[in-house]
């Protein structure tokens, strides 16, 4: 039996562009620049070169280009991961990629496929929030608000199903008075499970969908407060474009 949708979720969906509009699109493309201490710790420091990120909206799938070399891209799904050349040659691949993180701690180095997996699920989560909450298997509950200075941000606790891996099974999302995303809390299970608080800024509108263009993820303490000196991941986004589903051609008629 389906649980009733929290009233906050309905307001949040509308504020970010509306579910009807979202369902018109199949994927999103954007230029991204990423960095942060996490990648240094993992032995995969990021350069400031812009990259092309593609995320499919109604299935967990993502691709980043270039990836590791000018002629390579990553291809991510929960069950299979590939690094391929632009002419289709497979450079590396891994089935059931989540299993490769068993026993990892924060300091465990990542290989290229580990990095591709992290990028794939993380960017899919970010670009599809909050609309992914309506996908089959997700459970959403309103929780106590978060107090940030003199601001009060209402919160949703979201349980991710096994079919849609992400940072952690349980994640919290907080929204301002305008019902737009302000903060996203989670544990990074693929990096020893450290607690993160991600703040988002500079909302942009692309094809009627509103989303943050700046993300800054910090480690957080047991009280939930971010440690400002521990910037783990930084992401800047521009040139966002949503791709509409192709129109169906008219049915053929006999003459």
């Amino acid at each position: 039996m389906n649980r009733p949708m929290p009233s906050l979720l309905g307001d949040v969906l509308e504020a970010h562009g509306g579910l009807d509009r979202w369902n018109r699109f199949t994927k999103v493309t954007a230029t991204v620049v990423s960095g942060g201490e996490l990648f240094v710790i993992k032995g995969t420091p990021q350069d400031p070169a812009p990259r092309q990120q593609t995320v499919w909206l109604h299935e967990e799938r993502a691709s980043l280009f270039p990836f590791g070399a000018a002629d390579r891209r990553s291809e991510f799904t929960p069950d299979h991961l590939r690094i391929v050349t632009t002419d289709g040659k497979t450079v590396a691949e891994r089935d059931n990629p989540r299993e490769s993180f068993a026993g990892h701690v924060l300091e465990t180095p990542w290989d290229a496929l580990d990095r591709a997996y992290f990028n794939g699920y993380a960017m899919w989560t970010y670009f599809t929030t909050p609309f992914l909450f309506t996908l089959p298997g997700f459970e959403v509950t309103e929780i106590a608000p978060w107090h940030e200075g003199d601001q009060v941000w209402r919160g949703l606790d979201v349980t991710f199903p096994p079919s849609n891996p992400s940072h952690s099974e349980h994640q919290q999302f907080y929204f301002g008075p305008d019902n737009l995303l302000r903060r996203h809390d989670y544990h990074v299970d693929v990096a020893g499970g450290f607690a993160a608080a991600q703040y988002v800024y500079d909302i942009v509108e692309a094809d009627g969908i509103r989303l943050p263009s700046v993300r800054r993820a910090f480690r957080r303490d047991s009280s939930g407060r971010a440690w400002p000196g521990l910037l783990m991941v930084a992401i800047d986004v521009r040139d966002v474009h949503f791709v509409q589903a192709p129109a169906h051609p008219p049915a053929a008629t006999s003459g």
Side-chain angles (χ1 to χ4, degrees):
M1 182 175 63
N2 293 330
R3 296 184 179 183
M5 179 187 295
S7 60
L8 173 58
L9 177 54
D11 294 338
V12 163
L13 294 172
E14 283 303 310
H16 287 82
L19 191 58
D20 288 343
R21 183 186 302 273
W22 176 261
N23 285 331
R24 300 174 194 168
F25 303 112
T26 59
K27 61 184 178 180
V28 59
T29 64
T31 301
V32 299
V33 175
S34 61
E37 188 64 22
L38 177 62
F39 306 116
V40 176
I41 294 171
K42 291 299 186 181
T44 59
Q46 301 297 286
D47 63 48
R51 291 173 171 81
Q52 184 78 6
Q53 182 76 55
T54 303
V55 166
W56 282 254
L57 305 183
H58 306 289
E59 59 178 314
E60 191 165 0
R61 180 182 171 193
S63 178
L64 185 67
F65 175 80
F67 187 87
D71 67 338
R72 298 179 183 181
R73 70 177 184 272
S74 65
E75 294 184 350
F76 159 86
T77 66
D79 298 325
H80 190 71
L81 189 64
R82 290 203 306 161
I83 299 172
V84 299
T85 62
T86 51
D87 59 3
K89 179 182 177 181
T90 298
V91 176
E93 63 183 327
R94 182 174 291 159
D95 290 324
N96 304 314
R98 190 76 171 209
E99 295 177 359
S100 70
F101 296 94
H104 276 215
V105 297
L106 178 57
E107 295 78 15
T108 304
W110 280 348
D111 62 21
L113 287 169
D114 293 330
R115 175 68 182 91
Y117 180 83
F118 178 80
N119 167 267
Y121 83 68
M123 298 305 280
W124 182 81
T125 300
Y126 303 156
F127 275 101
T128 61
T129 296
F131 301 99
L132 66 88
F133 305 162
T134 66
L135 293 176
F138 283 80
E139 297 182 7
V140 185
T141 305
E142 185 164 359
I143 54 175
W146 175 260
H147 295 262
E148 186 78 25
D150 60 355
Q151 301 181 50
V152 179
W153 299 341
R154 294 175 70 186
L156 292 173
D157 180 86
V158 179
T159 301
F160 284 62
S163 57
N164 294 101
S166 185
H167 290 303
S168 51
E169 180 182 3
H170 300 283
Q171 302 181 34
Q172 295 75 44
F173 299 79
Y174 296 95
F175 304 89
D178 55 5
N179 295 315
L180 294 172
L181 185 66
R182 294 290 195 278
R183 172 172 160 149
H184 175 195
D185 287 3
Y186 47 86
H187 289 81
V188 186
D189 288 348
V190 298
F194 73 86
Q198 182 181 117
Y199 288 87
V200 304
Y201 311 95
D202 298 347
I203 299 293
V204 296
E205 184 171 320
D207 302 300
I209 302 296
R210 299 178 187 90
L211 70 162
S213 63
V214 175
R215 293 176 175 271
R216 297 292 183 266
F218 301 88
R219 294 193 71 174
R220 58 184 165 96
D221 62 23
S222 58
S223 70
R225 300 293 171 182
W227 296 346
L230 294 174
L231 176 61
M232 301 301 280
V233 175
I235 301 170
D236 295 312
V237 175
R238 67 174 187 268
D239 303 327
V240 183
H241 298 285
F242 286 85
V243 179
Q244 291 199 44
H248 294 292
T253 58
S254 57

